[in-house]
Amino acid sequence: MSEKMVLMQGNEAVAEGAIAAGVRFYAGYPITPSSEIAETMARRMPQVGGTFIQMEDEIASIMAIVGASMAGKKVLTATSGPGFSLMQEGLGYACMVEAPIVILDSMRYGPSTGMATKVSQMDLMQARWGTHGDHWVIVLSPSSVEESYQLTIRAVNLAEKYRNPVIVLSDETISHLREPIDISIPPTIVDRKLPTEKAGYAPYKTDESLVPAIATVGTGFRTTFTGLVHGESGFQTANGHVAEALVERLRDKLFNNLDDIIQFETDRVEDADVLFMSFGITARGVSEAVESLLSHGRKAGSLRFITLFPFDDDRVRKAAGSARTVVVPELNSGQLVLLIKRVFGDSRKVVPLNKINGDLISPQEILNFVQEENL
Amino acid sequence: MGNDNRFELRMTGSGGQGLILASIILAEAAIMEGKIVTQSQVYGAEARGGTTKAELVVSDRHIAYPKVTDPDLLAALTNEGLKQYGGGISRKTRVVIDSSVMSAPDFLDEENCRGLLSLPIRSTLISKLQSELGLNVVLLGIIEGLTAIVSVETLRKAVSMHVKKQFLDLNMKALDLGMEMVEAQVKTGIRI
C-alpha cells in the first residue's frame, strides 16, 4: 500500500469527498449514524472558506441547501432515516426547481426512530419514492470507505451536471467503518451550466440536453423558482400540456443519459448459475461467499448496484448473464427483490434473503442459505 | 475464510475504556506496515458506561467482509462484554480477560478455544503506574506481546500519534507493562 493511505471513517470520507468535489455549504441536523459528517463539516468548512450551519431540524436543513445551491454553491446535507423522512418535502421541491443538491442518508434500523446504532437497508424505496408525485432522483450506493469518498464526489458532479438531487445511500456500518484510503488524487470536477446572455433568458428553457442553464441568484438575472408546475419562464401554470412536458423532461434529462449515470460492479457473472444481486454493505458479505462457493466448485457470481436509481430493467437484464437462480440478500424485508422480480418475471428463479435484526448478513449465512435452499 | 494471513481481533468492555481508540491505533500501525485493515465497532447510545465491542481485521490483501467472524484474539475487559460478545470463538481463538475485574468464565476450556489468558490488567496498571488511565494501551501491549502483529516501534509511533505530550510517557510505560505481563506469563510455562 502507498504511503498516502490514511485510515478514515466512512462518514469522514463522505465529508472529505464533498470538499474535494467543491462543496462549500453544509446545512444539517446531527443524527446517528450520520453525525460525524456534520462534525467533520463543522470543522472543515471554515478551513476551506465554506459555510456550515446547524439548522433547527431536517426540514430547514434541506431547504437551506436548496437555497444555497440556487445561490451558486455546491451543497451537501447528511441525515438518517427519521431525518430523511422530514426531508422528503424539500426533496420533491428540489426535483421540481432543479436544484443540484446531494443528500447522504445513512440507513439505520427503522421504522420511526428504530434502533439508532444498528444497520439496515430499509430506506431503499424511500430514497426512490419518499416524496410524492412522479419524480426522478439519482441514488448511489457505496460499499466501502473508499467508495464513500469516490461516490460523494460523483454525486456532487452528477447533481451539477443534471441539475438534480442525488442521494448517497449509505448505512450505519459503512458510516462507522474505518478503512485505509488514498485521497491524494485530485478528482474530476463538473460545474453546472450557467447562462451567459440576459437577452431572451428564461430559467427553464433547455437545449437538447434537457438540462436548464438556470442563473445563479444575485447575478443580475431574473430568478423565479416554484414547486408549482411552471413553464420556461419559471412562472406557475395549470396548463396540462406544460405540466406533461415538464414532468417528461425531468425524467428524460436523466433517462437520456443512463450510460453516464448507471454503474454496476459484476464479478464472474458470465458463467454463473447462481447470481447474487445486492448493494452497499451487503455486497461485501456476498463477495466473500462467492469466493467460497467458487472454491467449492460452484459457479457463483455477483452483481452489485453502484447506481440504484435510475433503475433500468434492460440494463440489469443484460448485465445479469444467464444464471438460473438469482439470490437477492438485503437488510430489509424485501425491497430490491421487488425490482429484480420485475426484471426477470418468471424467466429466472429469484430468491430473497432478508435479515432484519440489525446485524449484517455474514458470508457464512449466505453459504448456509444456499445449502438449505438447495440453490 | 480460509485466508491464512487474515488476523481478526475483537475487544469488548465498557464505554470509556478506550477500546475503540485502541483498535484505531492498532489499525494505523498496521497501515504503516503496508497492511489492509477494517476497523469497526458496536456501541449503545450512551457516551460511556455501556457495553462496547471494537473489531479489527488485518490482512495482506483486500478485505471483503469487514467484520470479525472467527477471531484470532478476543480480549474482554468486563464480564458484561464477555457475556454479550464472547460468542463466536473457536479453537483458533486466544482469549484474554482482565482477572482483576472478572473470573474465568466457565464456558471456556481447552476444547473450545486456543487458550485462556487471565491477567490482572486493571489492578496491575493501578499498582505499577498509579493510574487508572491507559487500560486500553496496556491491552495493546498484551496484544502485541501475544501476536507481534506489528513491530513494537510501529506500535509506539501509532500510540504517540493519539496521545498528548504530557501523557506520552505514561502511555509508553503502559504499553511496556502489557508486553511485560505476557512475557512473565510465558516464563511461567503456562500455555498461552
mmCIF file with all atom_site columns, all heavy atoms in Angstrom, chain A residues 146-160:
data_model
loop_
_atom_site.group_PDB
_atom_site.id
_atom_site.type_symbol
_atom_site.label_atom_id
_atom_site.label_alt_id
_atom_site.label_comp_id
_atom_site.label_asym_id
_atom_site.label_entity_id
_atom_site.label_seq_id
_atom_site.pdbx_PDB_ins_code
_atom_site.Cartn_x
_atom_site.Cartn_y
_atom_site.Cartn_z
_atom_site.occupancy
_atom_site.B_iso_or_equiv
_atom_site.pdbx_formal_charge
_atom_site.auth_seq_id
_atom_site.auth_comp_id
_atom_site.auth_asym_id
_atom_site.auth_atom_id
_atom_site.pdbx_PDB_model_num
ATOM 1   N N   . GLU A 1 146 ? -13.604 3.842  0.862   1.00 0.00 ? 146 GLU A N   1
ATOM 2   C CA  . GLU A 1 146 ? -13.058 4.402  -0.380  1.00 0.00 ? 146 GLU A CA  1
ATOM 3   C C   . GLU A 1 146 ? -14.196 4.859  -1.307  1.00 0.00 ? 146 GLU A C   1
ATOM 4   O O   . GLU A 1 146 ? -14.169 5.952  -1.871  1.00 0.00 ? 146 GLU A O   1
ATOM 5   C CB  . GLU A 1 146 ? -12.222 3.315  -1.084  1.00 0.00 ? 146 GLU A CB  1
ATOM 6   C CG  . GLU A 1 146 ? -11.786 3.625  -2.493  1.00 0.00 ? 146 GLU A CG  1
ATOM 7   C CD  . GLU A 1 146 ? -10.611 4.578  -2.551  1.00 0.00 ? 146 GLU A CD  1
ATOM 8   O OE1 . GLU A 1 146 ? -9.757  4.500  -1.663  1.00 0.00 ? 146 GLU A OE1 1
ATOM 9   O OE2 . GLU A 1 146 ? -10.564 5.399  -3.495  1.00 0.00 ? 146 GLU A OE2 1
ATOM 10  N N   . GLU A 1 147 ? -15.197 3.989  -1.432  1.00 0.00 ? 147 GLU A N   1
ATOM 11  C CA  . GLU A 1 147 ? -16.292 4.321  -2.337  1.00 0.00 ? 147 GLU A CA  1
ATOM 12  C C   . GLU A 1 147 ? -17.180 5.424  -1.764  1.00 0.00 ? 147 GLU A C   1
ATOM 13  O O   . GLU A 1 147 ? -17.808 6.165  -2.514  1.00 0.00 ? 147 GLU A O   1
ATOM 14  C CB  . GLU A 1 147 ? -17.116 3.066  -2.646  1.00 0.00 ? 147 GLU A CB  1
ATOM 15  C CG  . GLU A 1 147 ? -17.783 3.138  -4.001  1.00 0.00 ? 147 GLU A CG  1
ATOM 16  C CD  . GLU A 1 147 ? -18.436 1.834  -4.409  1.00 0.00 ? 147 GLU A CD  1
ATOM 17  O OE1 . GLU A 1 147 ? -19.025 1.138  -3.549  1.00 0.00 ? 147 GLU A OE1 1
ATOM 18  O OE2 . GLU A 1 147 ? -18.352 1.501  -5.594  1.00 0.00 ? 147 GLU A OE2 1
ATOM 19  N N   . SER A 1 148 ? -17.223 5.543  -0.432  1.00 0.00 ? 148 SER A N   1
ATOM 20  C CA  . SER A 1 148 ? -17.960 6.663  0.171   1.00 0.00 ? 148 SER A CA  1
ATOM 21  C C   . SER A 1 148 ? -17.346 7.976  -0.291  1.00 0.00 ? 148 SER A C   1
ATOM 22  O O   . SER A 1 148 ? -18.053 8.941  -0.593  1.00 0.00 ? 148 SER A O   1
ATOM 23  C CB  . SER A 1 148 ? -17.909 6.579  1.702   1.00 0.00 ? 148 SER A CB  1
ATOM 24  O OG  . SER A 1 148 ? -18.536 5.408  2.158   1.00 0.00 ? 148 SER A OG  1
ATOM 25  N N   . TYR A 1 149 ? -16.018 7.988  -0.361  1.00 0.00 ? 149 TYR A N   1
ATOM 26  C CA  . TYR A 1 149 ? -15.306 9.174  -0.841  1.00 0.00 ? 149 TYR A CA  1
ATOM 27  C C   . TYR A 1 149 ? -15.590 9.409  -2.330  1.00 0.00 ? 149 TYR A C   1
ATOM 28  O O   . TYR A 1 149 ? -16.020 10.490 -2.742  1.00 0.00 ? 149 TYR A O   1
ATOM 29  C CB  . TYR A 1 149 ? -13.809 8.981  -0.587  1.00 0.00 ? 149 TYR A CB  1
ATOM 30  C CG  . TYR A 1 149 ? -12.932 10.113 -1.055  1.00 0.00 ? 149 TYR A CG  1
ATOM 31  C CD1 . TYR A 1 149 ? -12.828 11.283 -0.319  1.00 0.00 ? 149 TYR A CD1 1
ATOM 32  C CD2 . TYR A 1 149 ? -12.194 9.999  -2.234  1.00 0.00 ? 149 TYR A CD2 1
ATOM 33  C CE1 . TYR A 1 149 ? -12.016 12.320 -0.748  1.00 0.00 ? 149 TYR A CE1 1
ATOM 34  C CE2 . TYR A 1 149 ? -11.382 11.028 -2.670  1.00 0.00 ? 149 TYR A CE2 1
ATOM 35  C CZ  . TYR A 1 149 ? -11.295 12.195 -1.922  1.00 0.00 ? 149 TYR A CZ  1
ATOM 36  O OH  . TYR A 1 149 ? -10.497 13.217 -2.353  1.00 0.00 ? 149 TYR A OH  1
ATOM 37  N N   . GLN A 1 150 ? -15.371 8.353  -3.118  1.00 0.00 ? 150 GLN A N   1
ATOM 38  C CA  . GLN A 1 150 ? -15.492 8.498  -4.576  1.00 0.00 ? 150 GLN A CA  1
ATOM 39  C C   . GLN A 1 150 ? -16.928 8.793  -5.013  1.00 0.00 ? 150 GLN A C   1
ATOM 40  O O   . GLN A 1 150 ? -17.151 9.614  -5.908  1.00 0.00 ? 150 GLN A O   1
ATOM 41  C CB  . GLN A 1 150 ? -14.980 7.225  -5.281  1.00 0.00 ? 150 GLN A CB  1
ATOM 42  C CG  . GLN A 1 150 ? -13.501 6.936  -5.075  1.00 0.00 ? 150 GLN A CG  1
ATOM 43  C CD  . GLN A 1 150 ? -12.582 8.012  -5.654  1.00 0.00 ? 150 GLN A CD  1
ATOM 44  O OE1 . GLN A 1 150 ? -13.015 8.874  -6.423  1.00 0.00 ? 150 GLN A OE1 1
ATOM 45  N NE2 . GLN A 1 150 ? -11.313 7.981  -5.272  1.00 0.00 ? 150 GLN A NE2 1
ATOM 46  N N   . LEU A 1 151 ? -17.884 8.117  -4.410  1.00 0.00 ? 151 LEU A N   1
ATOM 47  C CA  . LEU A 1 151 ? -19.273 8.316  -4.837  1.00 0.00 ? 151 LEU A CA  1
ATOM 48  C C   . LEU A 1 151 ? -19.843 9.649  -4.364  1.00 0.00 ? 151 LEU A C   1
ATOM 49  O O   . LEU A 1 151 ? -20.768 10.172 -4.974  1.00 0.00 ? 151 LEU A O   1
ATOM 50  C CB  . LEU A 1 151 ? -20.165 7.157  -4.367  1.00 0.00 ? 151 LEU A CB  1
ATOM 51  C CG  . LEU A 1 151 ? -20.047 5.845  -5.146  1.00 0.00 ? 151 LEU A CG  1
ATOM 52  C CD1 . LEU A 1 151 ? -21.119 4.863  -4.690  1.00 0.00 ? 151 LEU A CD1 1
ATOM 53  C CD2 . LEU A 1 151 ? -20.146 6.060  -6.657  1.00 0.00 ? 151 LEU A CD2 1
ATOM 54  N N   . THR A 1 152 ? -19.312 10.189 -3.282  1.00 0.00 ? 152 THR A N   1
ATOM 55  C CA  . THR A 1 152 ? -19.757 11.531 -2.882  1.00 0.00 ? 152 THR A CA  1
ATOM 56  C C   . THR A 1 152 ? -19.287 12.552 -3.919  1.00 0.00 ? 152 THR A C   1
ATOM 57  O O   . THR A 1 152 ? -20.045 13.453 -4.311  1.00 0.00 ? 152 THR A O   1
ATOM 58  C CB  . THR A 1 152 ? -19.247 11.897 -1.471  1.00 0.00 ? 152 THR A CB  1
ATOM 59  O OG1 . THR A 1 152 ? -19.705 10.905 -0.559  1.00 0.00 ? 152 THR A OG1 1
ATOM 60  C CG2 . THR A 1 152 ? -19.769 13.252 -1.028  1.00 0.00 ? 152 THR A CG2 1
ATOM 61  N N   . ILE A 1 153 ? -18.060 12.374 -4.396  1.00 0.00 ? 153 ILE A N   1
ATOM 62  C CA  . ILE A 1 153 ? -17.565 13.247 -5.474  1.00 0.00 ? 153 ILE A CA  1
ATOM 63  C C   . ILE A 1 153 ? -18.459 13.088 -6.707  1.00 0.00 ? 153 ILE A C   1
ATOM 64  O O   . ILE A 1 153 ? -18.903 14.063 -7.315  1.00 0.00 ? 153 ILE A O   1
ATOM 65  C CB  . ILE A 1 153 ? -16.097 12.892 -5.829  1.00 0.00 ? 153 ILE A CB  1
ATOM 66  C CG1 . ILE A 1 153 ? -15.183 13.218 -4.642  1.00 0.00 ? 153 ILE A CG1 1
ATOM 67  C CG2 . ILE A 1 153 ? -15.654 13.619 -7.092  1.00 0.00 ? 153 ILE A CG2 1
ATOM 68  C CD1 . ILE A 1 153 ? -13.758 12.691 -4.794  1.00 0.00 ? 153 ILE A CD1 1
ATOM 69  N N   . ARG A 1 154 ? -18.735 11.850 -7.041  1.00 0.00 ? 154 ARG A N   1
ATOM 70  C CA  . ARG A 1 154 ? -19.569 11.571 -8.214  1.00 0.00 ? 154 ARG A CA  1
ATOM 71  C C   . ARG A 1 154 ? -20.978 12.154 -8.038  1.00 0.00 ? 154 ARG A C   1
ATOM 72  O O   . ARG A 1 154 ? -21.566 12.691 -8.976  1.00 0.00 ? 154 ARG A O   1
ATOM 73  C CB  . ARG A 1 154 ? -19.622 10.055 -8.438  1.00 0.00 ? 154 ARG A CB  1
ATOM 74  C CG  . ARG A 1 154 ? -20.402 9.625  -9.656  1.00 0.00 ? 154 ARG A CG  1
ATOM 75  C CD  . ARG A 1 154 ? -20.121 8.163  -10.013 1.00 0.00 ? 154 ARG A CD  1
ATOM 76  N NE  . ARG A 1 154 ? -21.199 7.588  -10.790 1.00 0.00 ? 154 ARG A NE  1
ATOM 77  C CZ  . ARG A 1 154 ? -21.411 7.827  -12.079 1.00 0.00 ? 154 ARG A CZ  1
ATOM 78  N NH1 . ARG A 1 154 ? -20.594 8.623  -12.747 1.00 0.00 ? 154 ARG A NH1 1
ATOM 79  N NH2 . ARG A 1 154 ? -22.424 7.282  -12.721 1.00 0.00 ? 154 ARG A NH2 1
ATOM 80  N N   . ALA A 1 155 ? -21.503 12.048 -6.827  1.00 0.00 ? 155 ALA A N   1
ATOM 81  C CA  . ALA A 1 155 ? -22.843 12.578 -6.548  1.00 0.00 ? 155 ALA A CA  1
ATOM 82  C C   . ALA A 1 155 ? -22.889 14.091 -6.786  1.00 0.00 ? 155 ALA A C   1
ATOM 83  O O   . ALA A 1 155 ? -23.832 14.605 -7.404  1.00 0.00 ? 155 ALA A O   1
ATOM 84  C CB  . ALA A 1 155 ? -23.239 12.256 -5.107  1.00 0.00 ? 155 ALA A CB  1
ATOM 85  N N   . VAL A 1 156 ? -21.867 14.781 -6.305  1.00 0.00 ? 156 VAL A N   1
ATOM 86  C CA  . VAL A 1 156 ? -21.820 16.237 -6.498  1.00 0.00 ? 156 VAL A CA  1
ATOM 87  C C   . VAL A 1 156 ? -21.753 16.557 -7.990  1.00 0.00 ? 156 VAL A C   1
ATOM 88  O O   . VAL A 1 156 ? -22.474 17.425 -8.497  1.00 0.00 ? 156 VAL A O   1
ATOM 89  C CB  . VAL A 1 156 ? -20.618 16.851 -5.742  1.00 0.00 ? 156 VAL A CB  1
ATOM 90  C CG1 . VAL A 1 156 ? -20.485 18.333 -6.052  1.00 0.00 ? 156 VAL A CG1 1
ATOM 91  C CG2 . VAL A 1 156 ? -20.759 16.618 -4.237  1.00 0.00 ? 156 VAL A CG2 1
ATOM 92  N N   . ASN A 1 157 ? -20.912 15.814 -8.715  1.00 0.00 ? 157 ASN A N   1
ATOM 93  C CA  . ASN A 1 157 ? -20.767 16.047 -10.160 1.00 0.00 ? 157 ASN A CA  1
ATOM 94  C C   . ASN A 1 157 ? -22.064 15.762 -10.921 1.00 0.00 ? 157 ASN A C   1
ATOM 95  O O   . ASN A 1 157 ? -22.458 16.531 -11.804 1.00 0.00 ? 157 ASN A O   1
ATOM 96  C CB  . ASN A 1 157 ? -19.639 15.176 -10.718 1.00 0.00 ? 157 ASN A CB  1
ATOM 97  C CG  . ASN A 1 157 ? -18.260 15.715 -10.334 1.00 0.00 ? 157 ASN A CG  1
ATOM 98  O OD1 . ASN A 1 157 ? -18.142 16.885 -9.940  1.00 0.00 ? 157 ASN A OD1 1
ATOM 99  N ND2 . ASN A 1 157 ? -17.247 14.889 -10.450 1.00 0.00 ? 157 ASN A ND2 1
ATOM 100 N N   . LEU A 1 158 ? -22.731 14.672 -10.581 1.00 0.00 ? 158 LEU A N   1
ATOM 101 C CA  . LEU A 1 158 ? -23.986 14.330 -11.271 1.00 0.00 ? 158 LEU A CA  1
ATOM 102 C C   . LEU A 1 158 ? -25.067 15.348 -10.942 1.00 0.00 ? 158 LEU A C   1
ATOM 103 O O   . LEU A 1 158 ? -25.865 15.727 -11.816 1.00 0.00 ? 158 LEU A O   1
ATOM 104 C CB  . LEU A 1 158 ? -24.453 12.921 -10.874 1.00 0.00 ? 158 LEU A CB  1
ATOM 105 C CG  . LEU A 1 158 ? -23.638 11.745 -11.430 1.00 0.00 ? 158 LEU A CG  1
ATOM 106 C CD1 . LEU A 1 158 ? -24.082 10.434 -10.789 1.00 0.00 ? 158 LEU A CD1 1
ATOM 107 C CD2 . LEU A 1 158 ? -23.756 11.648 -12.952 1.00 0.00 ? 158 LEU A CD2 1
ATOM 108 N N   . ALA A 1 159 ? -25.117 15.797 -9.696  1.00 0.00 ? 159 ALA A N   1
ATOM 109 C CA  . ALA A 1 159 ? -26.101 16.816 -9.304  1.00 0.00 ? 159 ALA A CA  1
ATOM 110 C C   . ALA A 1 159 ? -25.908 18.079 -10.137 1.00 0.00 ? 159 ALA A C   1
ATOM 111 O O   . ALA A 1 159 ? -26.869 18.659 -10.660 1.00 0.00 ? 159 ALA A O   1
ATOM 112 C CB  . ALA A 1 159 ? -25.973 17.133 -7.809  1.00 0.00 ? 159 ALA A CB  1
ATOM 113 N N   . GLU A 1 160 ? -24.646 18.475 -10.294 1.00 0.00 ? 160 GLU A N   1
ATOM 114 C CA  . GLU A 1 160 ? -24.336 19.681 -11.070 1.00 0.00 ? 160 GLU A CA  1
ATOM 115 C C   . GLU A 1 160 ? -24.673 19.490 -12.544 1.00 0.00 ? 160 GLU A C   1
ATOM 116 O O   . GLU A 1 160 ? -25.246 20.360 -13.187 1.00 0.00 ? 160 GLU A O   1
ATOM 117 C CB  . GLU A 1 160 ? -22.845 20.020 -10.930 1.00 0.00 ? 160 GLU A CB  1
ATOM 118 C CG  . GLU A 1 160 ? -22.438 20.477 -9.546  1.00 0.00 ? 160 GLU A CG  1
ATOM 119 C CD  . GLU A 1 160 ? -22.940 21.870 -9.203  1.00 0.00 ? 160 GLU A CD  1
ATOM 120 O OE1 . GLU A 1 160 ? -22.837 22.782 -10.053 1.00 0.00 ? 160 GLU A OE1 1
ATOM 121 O OE2 . GLU A 1 160 ? -23.453 22.053 -8.078  1.00 0.00 ? 160 GLU A OE2 1
#
